[in-house]
Amino acid sequence: MTARRKVWAIEADVLDMINEASRDTLPNEFVAALRAEKGVITEILLFPGSVSNEHAAFMQLHMLPIDLSVVGTVHSHPGPSNRPSNEDVHLFGNFGSTHIITCLPYDRRSWQAYDRSGRPVELEVVD
Ligand SMILES: [Zn+2]
């Protein structure tokens, strides 16, 4: 068995919130930062103002206050693929260890987590 990742789980409520926000943001992409406590993602951190462009939103990450509980990012794809684009992988490499992409239909099975190299990682869903 491999060692547990530093970030190993996400709360079910947070996942539901992400999917709901992704649906509300259509046809645009929803982007937020992920916050974790003891390795479990417990909160999303929204960016101030409305966000209409994924990459503009990622850029704002650099303006966030230094917060060690921020472990990565989440964004939605307005299509049926949750695979990271080359641009996504590039941005993952700049910030945080754990990144989630969710896609249509935005349900409990339509998301995937990735490491900073864009490799899929398993995250447990906890209550
Ligand atoms: Zn993307």
Side-chain angles (χ1 to χ4, degrees):
M1 221 182 122
T2 52
R4 208 176 226 189
R5 296 187 78 236
K6 207 167 73 175
V7 177
W8 61 275
I10 180 166
E11 283 184 357
D13 285 355
V14 176
L15 205 50
D16 291 345
M17 201 188 301
I18 288 168
N19 281 322
E20 205 172 296
S22 299
R23 230 172 271 130
D24 287 348
T25 313
L26 277 172
N28 296 316
E29 302 188 2
F30 169 74
V31 183
L34 298 172
R35 248 190 170 143
E37 264 172 52
K38 298 183 182 124
V40 179
I41 295 164
T42 54
E43 207 181 340
I44 52 176
L45 202 61
L46 300 173
F47 300 105
S50 62
V51 165
S52 58
N53 177 283
E54 171 182 349
H55 298 112
F58 270 117
M59 292 309 146
Q60 291 183 52
L61 287 170
H62 299 291
M63 302 188 314
L64 284 174
I66 306 250
D67 180 344
L68 296 178
S69 65
V70 173
V71 295
T73 65
V74 56
H75 74 280
S76 65
H77 282 172
S81 166
N82 60 24
R83 295 178 63 86
S85 64
N86 290 338
E87 225 163 0
D88 287 341
V89 174
H90 179 72
L91 290 160
F92 291 174
N94 289 334
F95 184 86
S97 69
T98 305
H99 302 274
I100 292 174
I101 301 176
T102 187
C103 65
L104 286 171
Y106 306 128
D107 63 21
R108 289 262 178 107
R109 285 192 309 237
S110 65
W111 63 284
Q112 177 66 50
Y114 299 93
D115 68 12
R116 58 184 302 135
S117 311
R119 279 186 298 255
V121 294
E122 294 295 324
L123 277 188
E124 276 178 49
V125 179
V126 296
D127 284 320

